[in-house]
């Protein structure tokens, strides 16, 4: 790891100030960033830890909306969202392993937008709003492809607002070595319709499977997606699975998510 | 360099560290607590698991300065002052839950975190909880047996 200056502000305002200037990087739980720094794949001049910012932590449900602080750990979401939004709690409780879940945060996961991460699927399917230190971003405008988001340099995710769906579930086909999703599908049904978000599968990162959404809006049963075929074009191909395999899994995991919702 | 203070195994400690100093480096090199192991160095294997404010963390993926003010417990803090092993450690010994022993500190700390929140886990819950701790000797079975025994459920998988 290259040397860097380290600061640990107590407030969002202080963190935003510390992130100004050349080559500063926010540090959430560090479960991706610290291994990345250790491999010398990144070398920020200054690291701004968000771990001491109390106002960015916590889970609250009110008026059909679940609000999760950007610095809330996966373990805390698994525990505290269990009653109001069980599908989200179960997703959080299967990220990584227990030690990773003690540190990793929802804001860090969404800001990183790993193409195989779980949280992007929940945010996209539930039509979440990403709240930052300076604005609110509808999730449909947030993800911009592989490891890219609408966040500006130095912008911090302070909260994520999830409209709680009437029915929802996440089905994850685990890649057992990394414990990321080989393919993960989050299905959410609300009065606004059905949204199906897929992670782990596509080279462009998380995406909505609109053909499945249309079919499920008419008939919310696993059978409704049986006849649908996801094209292999644009799917990830690696030693864990070919594009064709992943495309097939998208259909399988969508049906499983609907059955569990 | 910056000053870091924390409580480790009940004792207040302090040291001068760099921004990039990892918690595991501070524990091993700063405090001489070499029971916490560094295995994979890529935060996969779990040999470096310690408790931070009661929760299991991989000490190779936490910066020492991010643990400032925290309550840390390592494998050295598991036995009593007179050296008597904790019931969990004793169960590891009784059930031959280690061979080379390299992963054992992390296994014990993860298992202790599990039992603190779930005193009578099912065998499935034990296996699932250990998914971030890799062992290349035992095949895990005796580790699971030891944890079940430590939770007072020794007979639950005796038939296997």
């Amino acid at each position: 790891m290259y040397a860097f200056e380290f600061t640990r502000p107590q407030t969002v305002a202080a963190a935003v100030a510390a992130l100004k200037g050349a080559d500063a990087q926010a540090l959430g739980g560090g479960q991706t960033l610290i291994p990345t720094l250790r491999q010398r794949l990144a070398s920020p001049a200054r690291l701004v830890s968000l771990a001491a910012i109390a106002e960015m932590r916590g889970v609250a449900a009110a008026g059909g909306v679940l609000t999760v602080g950007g610095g809330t750990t996966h373990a805390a979401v698994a525990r505290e969202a269990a009653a109001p939004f069980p599908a989200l709690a179960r997703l959080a409780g299967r990220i990584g392993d227990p030690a990773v879940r003690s540190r990793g945060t929802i804001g860090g996961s969404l800001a990183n937008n790993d193409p195989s991460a779980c949280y992007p699927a929940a945010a996209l399917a539930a039509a979440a709003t990403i709240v930052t230190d300076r604005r609110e971003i509808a999730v449909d405008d947030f993800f911009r492809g592989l490891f890219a988001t609408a966040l500006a340099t130095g912008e911090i995710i302070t909260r994520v607002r999830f409209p709680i769906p009437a029915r929802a579930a996440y089905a994850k086909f685990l890649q057992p070595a990394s414990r990321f999703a080989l393919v993960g599908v989050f299905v959410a049904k609300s009065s606004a319709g059905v949204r199906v978000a897929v992670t782990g599968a596509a080279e462009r990162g998380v995406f909505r499977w609109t053909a499945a959404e249309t079919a499920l809006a008419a008939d919310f049963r696993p059978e409704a997606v049986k006849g649908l075929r996801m094209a292999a074009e644009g799917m990830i191909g690696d030693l864990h699975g070919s594009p064709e395999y992943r495309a097939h899994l998208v259909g399988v995991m969508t049906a499983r998510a609907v059955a569990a919702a | 360099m910056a000053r870091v203070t924390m409580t480790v195994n009940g004792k207040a400690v302090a040291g001068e560290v760099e921004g990039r100093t990892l918690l595991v480096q501070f524990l091993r090199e700063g405090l001489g607590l070499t029971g916490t192991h560094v295995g994979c160095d890529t935060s996969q294997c779990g040999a470096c698991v310690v408790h931070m404010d009661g929760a299991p963390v991989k000490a190779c993926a936490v910066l020492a300065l991010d643990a400032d003010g925290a309550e840390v417990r390592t494998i050295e803090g598991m036995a009593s002052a007179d050296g008597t092993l904790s019931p969990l450690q004793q169960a590891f010994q009784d059930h031959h839950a280690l061979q080379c022993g390299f992963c054992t500190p992390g296994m014990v700390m993860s298992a202790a975190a599990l039992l603190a929140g779930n005193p009578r886990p099912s065998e499935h819950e034990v296996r699932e909880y250990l998914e971030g701790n890799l062992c290349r000797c035992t095949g895990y079975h005796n580790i699971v047996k030891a944890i079940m025994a430590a939770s007072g459920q020794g007979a639950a998988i005796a038939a296997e």
Side-chain angles (χ1 to χ4, degrees), chain B residues 50-153:
Chain B
V50 300
H51 297 180
M52 185 169 150
D53 294 328
V57 302
K58 292 181 176 176
C60 80
V62 178
L63 295 173
L65 288 171
D66 244 344
D68 190 47
E71 189 92 37
V72 175
R73 192 179 195 202
T74 71
I75 189 69
E76 286 90 347
M78 292 299 285
S80 332
D82 67 358
T84 308
L85 296 180
S86 66
L88 181 61
Q89 288 171 301
Q90 189 59 53
F92 267 63
Q93 190 177 83
D94 294 344
H95 293 270
H96 194 59
L98 56 143
Q99 288 179 30
C100 88
F102 197 88
C103 73
T104 310
M107 286 288 180
V108 169
M109 297 315 286
S110 279
L114 167 66
L115 296 181
N118 183 0
R120 292 180 68 82
S122 67
E123 184 190 340
H124 177 76
E125 285 171 327
V126 171
R127 289 185 185 276
E128 197 170 85
Y129 200 88
L130 293 180
E131 64 192 346
N133 291 84
L134 304 183
C135 173
R136 304 194 69 177
C137 306
T138 63
Y140 302 96
H141 195 61
N142 285 355
I143 295 171
V144 177
K145 262 190 196 165
I147 297 167
M148 293 300 281
S151 71
Q153 305 179 98

Side-chain angles (χ1 to χ4, degrees), chain A:
Chain A
M1 205 166 7
Y2 293 109
F4 48 78
E5 181 198 337
F6 178 89
T7 59
R8 196 162 171 249
Q10 309 275 319
T11 65
V12 171
V16 171
L19 283 166
K20 289 208 170 91
D23 222 8
Q25 166 75 50
L27 171 69
Q31 300 305 287
T32 297
L33 182 55
I34 291 177
T36 304
L37 293 171
R38 299 188 65 188
Q39 291 173 65
R40 296 190 164 183
L41 296 173
S43 53
R46 174 191 290 173
L47 216 55
V48 181
S49 169
L50 307 178
I53 305 177
E55 63 187 296
M56 273 176 56
R57 280 196 296 267
V59 176
V65 174
L66 189 82
T67 304
V68 181
T72 311
T73 64
H74 309 328
V77 173
R79 224 168 27 238
E80 294 169 31
F85 193 169
L88 187 73
R90 277 198 286 272
L91 174 149
R94 295 299 315 279
I95 295 172
D97 57 57
V100 166
R101 295 195 287 271
S102 298
R103 296 293 301 166
T105 65
I106 187 170
S109 172
L110 293 174
N112 191 46
N113 192 19
D114 188 296
S116 299
C118 297
Y119 266 130
L124 189 58
T129 300
I130 315 297
V131 183
T132 76
D133 58 87
R134 61 200 73 168
R135 60 184 167 146
E136 301 195 350
I137 309 170
V139 74
D140 289 325
D141 303 323
F142 183 77
F143 298 114
R144 300 279 173 86
L146 211 62
F147 295 106
T149 69
L151 292 173
T153 304
E155 189 171 9
I156 299 170
I157 298 175
T158 54
R159 290 192 297 283
V160 185
R161 283 205 307 264
F162 293 93
I164 300 173
R167 292 172 68 179
Y170 179 60
K172 174 180 179 178
F173 195 95
L174 193 76
Q175 204 288 83
S178 73
R179 295 178 289 281
F180 275 88
L182 190 66
V183 169
V185 178
F186 200 105
V187 172
K189 184 178 193 290
S190 70
S191 53
V194 176
R195 288 167 66 110
V196 177
V198 181
T199 189
E203 286 172 345
R204 67 190 150 121
V206 68
F207 69 97
R208 284 172 65 188
W209 189 16
T210 48
E213 292 178 355
T214 308
L216 291 167
D219 178 12
F220 195 75
R221 293 183 307 136
E223 292 78 8
V225 295
K226 279 270 157 66
L228 298 178
R229 293 268 312 261
M230 168 65 63
E233 198 186 357
M235 295 289 123
I236 297 170
D238 56 22
L239 79 167
H240 307 300
S242 64
E244 291 75 18
Y245 181 69
R246 279 186 168 82
H248 177 72
L249 266 186
V250 171
V252 173
M253 300 318 284
T254 302
R256 285 188 192 174
V258 173

